[in-house]
Amino acid sequence: MAAIGSQSSKTITILLDQSFFIFAGLASFWLAWLVFREGLATGGWWLVGLFFVVWAIVSYLALPRLHRILSNMYVPNYFIGRTRTADGILSDPINLSVRGSEEKLHKAMTAAGWVLADDITPRSAWKMVLTVLSGRSYPNAPVSPAFLFGRRQDFAYQQEVDGNPRRRHHVRFWRCPDGWLLPGGHRVDWLAAGSYDKSVGLSLFTFQLTHKIDEDIDIERDYIIESVKKSEKYIRVTVLKDFSTGYHSRNGSGDLIRTDGDLPILEVGRVRIDKPIATLKRFGIIMDGTIHDRCPRNHETLLEELWSRRPPQILIGSVLMILASLFAVGQTLVDISSWTETLAVVTNIEQIDINLANTALSIMAVLNILLVIVEFILVGLLLRGSNRARISLLAVAMLAIITESLSVTTGRINASAVLLLTSIGVHIMIMMLFSSDAARYFTERR
């Protein structure tokens, strides 16, 4: 009976998670519509930032979540020779593989003049934006995450062109799971996806700012192979002819891609290493956009590091929830301080029981403060890994979005409505973060 009850509870939790996940996506579209409606209705200064606000909401909140939902429905959850974006969209093809240790692979790439890309952090992302805008060199510029085997790349190498980060050669590498074989029974240690960034533009699918790649990815594949072979005489190359059917398609940003379907295998096992190379320890977070609910049990996905530390999705969402709670407390204090003036205006319009009104205000203030206390407790439990606290906070954020949306929908734009729209956006972000894979995996394992 206990096992049945546990299974039933797990099923309910999964259904709630899926419901919150979908609601967050729909709410982001609703927020975009509210901002658009109020901007057109009022005009003036509001129209100045209207386009950018709606674009940011749709591109970075609504469309990614929509793609994620649709991808769960139609993208197969097994290896098909394609990587996936953080939004779950099919991305660059796997066009290269490697046999050999990580140390020898690093030696071969660095000897060929390739530079290890930085991890994406707030600092590196900001530096990337500045260098792209200014055209300055950034040899270690980070590359966007792509996903294979349920995780982002283990590392990536790149070569700038003319000292400009807008154009670069780059290739991402993933370690294959232990005992995993390619279709056809071939064993390799690494899979890779190489492409050439030719410019910066907007994604066709999400309208996010991103690099645009050259259509013929076979040229980049062959360039990577030739550059490595020139620098290391011990490297050999074998080719799996027609590994996949040659095709024309699009990658995760909507760029055209064309390939002949061959899969070369770089044999780096004979590369000589004079002294040990310090390999970087990478921390692969399962980000919100992955379409994998589970990773292969026998795969070294670095998820154990994820369980031992709180993922950014949990930390950022908790900070936003605390800020939203403090805002609610401040709003309650403002209502209490201005209650006398409000009551004087209302009594001139209609007859009301002042004592009853004061009692109602007191009850509402106490309830709001109690709710904030409960939210603080839930945040504390969530930081300790409580899955029930995460589900409860998702429910709180959903109720806040519904009530605040009704308040804005029934009125017109003013200072109070602007604050409500901001609050709606914050609570949508909270739902996006707490319904992400990283947040869910963290609380389920803890």
Side-chain angles (χ1 to χ4, degrees):
M1 292 297 292
I4 295 176
S6 176
Q7 184 63 35
S8 176
S9 176
K10 185 177 181 180
T11 301
I12 294 174
T13 300
I14 293 174
L15 291 175
L16 287 173
D17 252 323
Q18 293 174 345
S19 300
F20 289 135
F21 187 92
I22 294 173
F23 178 86
L26 296 176
S28 58
F29 279 106
W30 176 245
L31 176 60
W33 161 247
L34 287 178
V35 173
F36 182 75
R37 188 199 72 172
E38 300 300 340
L40 290 181
T42 56
W45 66 271
W46 187 252
L47 281 177
V48 175
L50 171 64
F51 172 81
F52 297 100
V53 173
V54 174
W55 166 73
I57 294 171
V58 171
S59 298
Y60 290 91
L61 291 179
L63 287 177
R65 185 55 61 104
L66 176 63
H67 283 299
R68 172 72 187 281
I69 293 170
L70 295 177
S71 294
N72 279 333
M73 298 178 183
Y74 69 81
V75 178
N77 193 18
Y78 53 82
F79 179 78
I80 57 174
R82 294 285 295 272
T83 63
R84 310 177 193 208
T85 69
D87 303 326
I89 307 171
L90 287 178
S91 192
D92 297 346
I94 295 297
N95 57 0
L96 184 65
S97 60
V98 181
R99 287 196 186 113
S101 67
E102 179 176 354
E103 192 175 32
K104 293 184 177 182
L105 175 55
H106 282 298
K107 174 65 165 56
M109 294 301 292
T110 54
W114 291 82
V115 180
L116 190 67
D118 288 340
D119 281 330
I120 293 183
T121 64
R123 182 176 182 179
S124 65
W126 179 243
K127 183 178 179 181
M128 180 66 174
V129 171
L130 293 179
T131 53
V132 167
L133 293 177
S134 63
R136 296 198 305 268
S137 175
Y138 186 4
N140 299 87
V143 300
S144 59
F147 293 83
L148 190 69
F149 304 125
R151 61 188 174 88
R152 70 176 185 176
Q153 66 270 10
D154 291 277
F155 50 83
Y157 276 91
Q158 63 181 13
Q159 288 181 346
E160 270 187 0
V161 176
D162 299 328
N164 191 330
R166 294 190 186 95
R167 298 190 301 276
R168 59 181 177 177
H169 305 275
H170 68 294
V171 54
R172 301 176 177 89
F173 291 91
W174 290 264
R175 184 190 297 275
C176 296
D178 291 338
W180 185 84
L181 300 176
L182 284 169
H186 303 278
R187 185 195 65 80
V188 294
D189 299 303
W190 302 86
L191 292 179
S195 58
Y196 175 70
D197 286 339
K198 61 181 181 179
S199 63
V200 174
L202 293 178
S203 167
L204 179 65
F205 298 135
T206 63
F207 307 113
Q208 295 177 5
L209 286 172
T210 185
H211 276 96
K212 313 295 286 184
I213 71 168
D214 186 74
E215 178 179 353
D216 195 337
I217 63 171
D218 293 343
I219 294 177
E220 183 69 7
R221 175 196 66 192
D222 297 339
Y223 171 77
I224 297 169
I225 294 172
E226 291 304 315
S227 67
V228 174
K229 286 178 63 180
K230 282 182 181 179
S231 63
E232 290 286 348
K233 63 180 180 179
Y234 295 104
I235 287 180
R236 298 289 183 268
V237 178
T238 58
V239 179
L240 299 180
K241 298 294 292 184
D242 302 320
F243 173 75
S244 63
T245 303
Y247 59 84
H248 296 255
S249 184
R250 292 185 182 272
N251 72 350
S253 298
D255 304 332
L256 290 171
I257 50 177
R258 184 173 69 249
T259 179
D260 58 16
D262 292 346
L263 183 67
I265 303 176
L266 279 177
E267 308 277 358
V268 300
R270 297 176 60 193
V271 171
R272 294 181 177 180
I273 300 176
D274 298 328
K275 57 182 179 179
I277 298 176
T279 56
L280 296 181
K281 187 178 180 65
R282 299 283 170 165
F283 173 48
I285 295 175
I286 299 298
M287 298 178 66
D288 182 59
T290 63
I291 68 168
H292 290 275
D293 289 334
R294 299 176 181 83
C295 295
R297 292 183 181 275
N298 62 341
H299 194 292
E300 298 177 9
T301 60
L302 301 181
L303 284 178
E304 291 304 321
E305 285 198 37
L306 181 60
W307 314 144
S308 65
R309 57 189 283 185
R310 295 162 184 82
Q313 288 87 340
I314 291 287
L315 296 176
I316 297 173
S318 297
V319 170
L320 290 177
M321 179 59 76
I322 291 173
L323 292 177
S325 300
L326 293 176
F327 175 79
V329 171
Q331 188 63 46
T332 300
L333 294 176
V334 170
D335 292 340
I336 293 174
S337 64
S338 62
W339 180 246
T340 303
E341 292 80 1
T342 303
L343 201 58
V345 173
V346 173
T347 52
N348 290 331
I349 300 175
E350 56 184 284
Q351 296 294 323
I352 64 170
D353 189 330
I354 296 179
N355 292 329
L356 181 60
N358 288 329
T359 301
L361 173 65
S362 300
I363 293 175
M364 290 178 61
V366 170
L367 290 176
N368 283 335
I369 292 175
L370 287 175
L371 178 60
V372 169
I373 293 174
V374 171
E375 290 174 353
F376 273 67
I377 294 174
L378 290 174
V379 168
L381 292 174
L382 174 59
L383 291 173
R384 296 183 62 182
S386 171
N387 195 45
R388 292 183 179 179
R390 182 180 64 87
I391 295 296
S392 299
L393 288 172
L394 281 168
V396 169
M398 182 181 73
L399 290 175
I401 292 171
I402 293 174
T403 56
E404 291 165 351
S405 295
L406 291 174
S407 299
V408 175
T409 304
T410 56
R412 276 300 171 195
I413 199 69
N414 52 42
S416 178
V418 171
L419 291 177
L420 282 174
L421 288 173
T422 303
S423 181
I424 292 172
V426 169
H427 283 102
I428 290 175
M429 283 299 301
I430 291 171
M431 292 199 70
M432 293 279 188
L433 293 167
F434 286 167
S435 64
S436 66
D437 282 345
R440 180 164 50 82
Y441 289 153
F442 174 75
T443 56
E444 286 179 353
R445 288 295 297 268
R446 299 279 284 200

